[in-house]
Amino acid sequence: MRLDERPSLLRRRATRPVTTPPRRLRHPLFSEVRGGSAGWIALVVCVAEALYMADKADYWQGSWSETRQYLHTTAVLLLGPFTAAAGCWQGARERRSRMAELRASGARGEFAQFLVVAVPVALAAVVGHAVVVTGSHLATWPYAPGGRPIFAPVAADLVLLAGVAVIGTVVGRLAPWRLAAPALAAATYLLLAFLADVDSSARFLSPAADDGFRVEPVWWQPPAMMAWIGGLAVAAALAHTLRPRWSWVAVVPLAAAVAAAVPMARTGEDMWQLPAHAREQVCDDSRPRVCVEAEKKDLLPQVSAALSGITGRLKGVDHLPDRFQLPQLYYGQNVVRGGLAEPEQFAWEAASMLLPDCENRPDEHLHDAVRDWLVSNDLSDSRRESWEQRAREGGDRQSLENARAEARVRSRLTSMDEDRRRAWLGRYFAATRACSGKVPAL
């Protein structure tokens, strides 16, 4: 090529059009999730539930069953009404902005446009609840002595939140009332709570229905609840969005919902059972033996230590019960984060339950004195002093006389030699366990 031909070649290359690959258009759903109100809904769900769970942490942190139950109750009665209201508010946005006619003339079908509105709300509620579920289980992990986490009920709660978001969106697109969202939230709460309390088999169709904190659902209950709630939500969405000649398709999810509801209503309370770790017990080798549920086996050393003063004073005594009848270990009360909250109070209550509750006790002050002598801790002393002070200030002579009689019994028990004390306590427990009323003289 000659040198005089190069400028023309460069001009042809410069004038050649530059082609760029066409940009792939994203589905409007992505824009709704990223730039719409979904992020704010997820934040509100997460913060509201996290604040409630943090406020009740003493009652669930340390037990998998308690954690599951508190998360379930919060999802149903707190997040359920809110999510329904959020879906209703989002469903009515075209009407508020006077764009309903423009939406109806859009290129996308009615069902696709419905998904663009409903899915972000459902996804936001699911993500917000899932974050709190994860954090709550991580907070429980260091303190849970036994049992195991189960996640099938969590999946059922997630389906519930998605379902009420879809149903709320349908209501929002149909109801012209501006206060439809708060009204739907109130109606959702009342429906869930009322249905769970009705005296019929229909109450077991409410997600709020449960049979207690210590029970677990049978394996098929969470999937059945998911089919029940999910079927109703899908049926409502299809009936609202499909053309009249295709509206019969909504019968399919509705039939699936009814098929799931029938066994739940017929089974009733048997859908929840006490797990094996709640039925079994572990015991120490003291006498009387100290036993706790297998789920709380890590608490046994603390419970045994709290009662060591009582078991030490009862060493060698005959006619004792085989095991202690202990106060129930409740999370948030006498158990907090895997530890015994008030050991002295627990010992005082256990000593009270060690003595049978018989009618017609002629010497009530004797039984109280034996209990206080067995406990012999600071709490017992402070309670006794408080009662005496209150009786003295109120001029209650009978109570003061009983307090003096109890003091004489405690002094007598303390001054006796061990053999005589063990023999007397043996006769005492033999008489009290038989409720004969013939307590041996001290």
Side-chain angles (χ1 to χ4, degrees):
M1 179 182 297
R2 297 196 307 269
L3 292 177
D4 55 351
E5 294 180 354
R6 290 183 179 179
S8 60
L9 179 61
L10 292 175
R11 283 193 299 271
R12 286 197 301 271
R13 289 181 178 178
T15 57
R16 183 178 299 171
V18 179
T19 60
T20 57
R23 293 182 61 183
R24 185 177 180 180
L25 297 178
R26 285 194 169 188
H27 196 279
L29 184 61
F30 289 95
S31 300
E32 287 290 334
V33 171
R34 294 186 60 183
S37 59
W40 291 106
I41 295 174
L43 181 62
V44 171
V45 167
C46 186
V47 171
E49 188 177 17
L51 289 176
Y52 176 82
M53 293 297 291
D55 181 63
K56 302 293 183 180
D58 290 348
Y59 295 90
W60 57 263
Q61 196 174 5
S63 170
W64 293 121
S65 60
E66 301 281 341
T67 301
R68 174 186 61 81
Q69 185 63 32
Y70 270 91
L71 287 170
H72 171 70
T73 303
T74 309
V76 174
L77 297 180
L78 177 65
L79 303 185
F82 171 78
T83 305
C88 182
W89 183 259
Q90 286 294 99
R93 64 180 186 178
E94 283 88 1
R95 184 182 295 109
R96 290 194 306 271
S97 59
R98 293 182 172 85
M99 297 181 63
E101 295 182 359
L102 180 62
R103 174 184 61 80
S105 62
R108 297 185 182 274
E110 185 75 12
F111 184 72
Q113 295 181 27
F114 178 84
L115 291 180
V116 171
V117 179
V119 169
V121 179
L123 185 61
V126 167
V127 171
H129 181 59
V131 170
V132 178
V133 167
T134 303
S136 299
H137 280 79
L138 291 177
T140 299
W141 194 283
Y143 306 105
R148 58 183 175 83
I150 54 175
F151 296 103
V154 175
D157 292 340
L158 296 178
V159 172
L160 167 68
L161 295 178
V164 296
V166 171
I167 295 174
T169 305
V170 173
V171 174
R173 299 184 72 172
L174 294 176
W177 192 31
R178 281 188 171 271
L179 296 179
L184 181 62
T188 303
Y189 178 85
L190 293 176
L191 176 63
L192 293 172
F194 171 78
L195 189 60
D197 290 336
V198 296
D199 189 16
S200 68
S201 58
R203 77 181 187 91
F204 299 106
L205 301 181
S206 172
D210 207 330
D211 207 38
F213 282 85
R214 301 174 61 203
V215 295
E216 292 182 357
V218 296
W219 68 268
W220 57 266
Q221 192 271 342
M225 184 59 70
M226 287 188 277
W228 164 240
I229 300 298
L232 292 179
V234 174
L238 293 178
H240 170 64
T241 57
L242 294 182
R243 295 180 178 179
R245 62 183 182 136
W246 292 104
S247 58
W248 62 268
V249 177
V251 176
V252 177
L254 184 62
V258 173
V262 171
M264 289 194 298
R266 297 185 62 179
T267 306
E269 295 180 354
D270 293 336
M271 289 190 296
W272 295 276
Q273 299 176 356
L274 201 63
H277 59 75
R279 297 191 299 266
E280 299 173 353
Q281 290 193 329
V282 293
C283 305
D284 64 6
D285 55 357
S286 63
R287 189 169 180 269
R289 289 189 300 167
V290 178
C291 302
V292 298
E293 299 171 0
E295 183 185 12
K296 304 180 178 73
K297 60 184 178 180
D298 287 0
L299 289 172
L300 182 59
Q302 300 181 48
V303 174
S304 298
L307 303 180
S308 60
I310 300 175
T311 55
R313 290 178 176 82
L314 293 176
K315 188 174 183 180
V317 176
D318 296 328
H319 305 294
L320 294 175
D322 180 62
R323 62 171 62 183
F324 271 101
Q325 184 182 356
L326 297 179
Q328 183 66 41
L329 294 170
Y330 289 110
Y331 290 96
Q333 299 180 22
N334 50 15
V335 178
V336 177
R337 294 181 182 86
L340 201 61
E342 298 179 353
E344 293 186 347
Q345 173 71 19
F346 186 83
W348 193 89
E349 294 176 358
S352 299
M353 300 174 70
L354 182 64
L355 308 179
D357 187 14
C358 302
E359 296 181 358
N360 301 322
R361 281 182 172 177
D363 298 321
E364 189 69 30
H365 65 274
L366 176 63
H367 297 276
D368 293 340
V370 172
R371 177 201 60 205
D372 289 345
W373 180 82
L374 287 174
V375 177
S376 295
N377 59 28
D378 294 338
L379 176 63
S380 179
D381 296 340
S382 63
R383 281 192 171 192
R384 188 168 57 253
E385 293 173 0
S386 175
W387 290 339
E388 293 179 9
Q389 180 67 24
R390 191 159 49 244
R392 190 176 298 108
E393 293 175 353
D396 190 347
R397 295 183 178 181
Q398 183 61 45
S399 297
L400 287 174
E401 182 59 33
N402 291 341
R404 296 189 184 99
E406 293 175 15
R408 288 193 294 269
V409 173
R410 290 193 305 273
S411 177
R412 180 61 176 157
L413 284 172
T414 304
S415 62
M416 293 173 68
D417 62 79
E418 293 186 5
D419 292 337
R420 289 184 59 194
R421 184 166 57 227
R422 279 196 295 266
W424 185 86
L425 286 172
R427 295 193 301 271
Y428 169 81
F429 277 102
T432 55
R433 291 185 67 188
C435 288
S436 63
K438 299 178 181 179
V439 178
L442 183 62

